Amino acid sequence: MDGLKVFSGSSHPALAQAICKCLGIAPGRLSTTRFSNENLKVRIEENVREQDVFVVQTSAPPLSENIVELLILLDALTHASARRVTAVLPYFPYARSDKKDEPRISITARLMADLVATAGANRVLTIDLHSPQIQGFFSMPADQLTAVPVLCERLRADGLEEAIVVAADVGEAKDAAVFAKHLGLPIAIIDKRRSGDEERAEAVAVIGDVRGKRCLLVDDEIATGGTIFSATDFLFEQGARGVSAAVVHPVLSGRALERLGASRLERLLVTDTIPIAATSPKIEVLSVAPLLAEAITRIHDGRSVSALF
Ligand code: R5P
């Protein structure tokens, strides 16, 4: 594809390669050096002058280092005279820090948007932001894709008899409605409370009738798993026949994988917006590479991206 280049940061080279395969191009060449003082140097190893450049970097460990690498990479490309630089951020960093819900804290998702702009990005391409208002944090064009159709296609293939979509918490109700519309299913909503260190989640009620149903829990991300596993137990207590989950971003932090093994959750369907270090027989990963490749092609050609939603 003429004038189009894709570069990968260190966070998820497998996804960047899969995107490049879909596009029929080789990933751009660069080298990253870590000095003994922990400074990073990124050097673009090919000419990018007047090129339409996409940089793929997701929010994954080591998180802070990957953020700094992204910023240096964007800056290097800008100073190498790329015509346009798009930051492709499949899982947006600090997406949950999107509001000032305590005194004297940072709205860090907004800070991330500012940093990406300062580093030289002309636009952003991302997937399923934690909350829609994050899109407004950008002073540049920001395209937000959704992986819901990718997940729904797989769910439909499994059959949907006696199934019901269940929002993992009230904040997820709107997204759950999108799943329900795609799948032609009814919807229920879990009332979740957080306590203590805010990483402990407890399902306390469900709005909707789940008795005898195959519950399909949906959420934008699974981090420690507290939300999904607590909801699973609660749904079984309420008479559910089975519980599985479909989640876009598999953060899987803390003891999530261990807890998944012990949970009654039957299957966890996720996408590859984040690399999964260790896996489990319960996890099935679907790729967003074709979706991102199609969006990149459309941005490059100046065609509508919203047609993908
Ligand atoms: C919260 O608002 C999100 O939608 C997820 O429910 C949350 O990030 C999941 O976190 P955890 O897996 O740690 O409960």
Side-chain angles (χ1 to χ4, degrees), residues 53-74:
V53 178
F54 293 78
V55 176
V56 182
Q57 183 80 308
T58 201
S59 177
L63 179 58
S64 299
E65 183 161 317
N66 283 334
I67 291 170
V68 172
E69 186 197 50
L70 167 69
L71 301 175
I72 295 174
L73 185 43
L74 293 170

Side-chain angles (χ1 to χ4, degrees), residues 90-133:
Y91 175 53
F92 190 75
Y94 284 90
R96 282 167 73 177
S97 301
D98 60 352
K99 56 196 160 307
K100 195 162 182 217
D101 52 0
E102 287 174 52
R104 302 179 296 282
I105 62 166
S106 152
I107 303 175
T108 316
R110 169 69 198 257
L111 174 63
M112 291 297 123
D114 288 348
L115 289 173
V116 166
T118 301
N122 303 111
R123 55 188 308 138
V124 162
L125 175 62
T126 188
I127 300 182
D128 290 298
L129 289 165
H130 178 62
S131 54
Q133 69 264 25

Side-chain angles (χ1 to χ4, degrees), residues 33-41 68 72:
T33 310
R34 278 171 185 77
F35 295 105
S36 57
N37 63 358
E38 297 195 3
N39 285 13
L40 290 178
K41 180 176 92 177
V68 172
I72 295 174

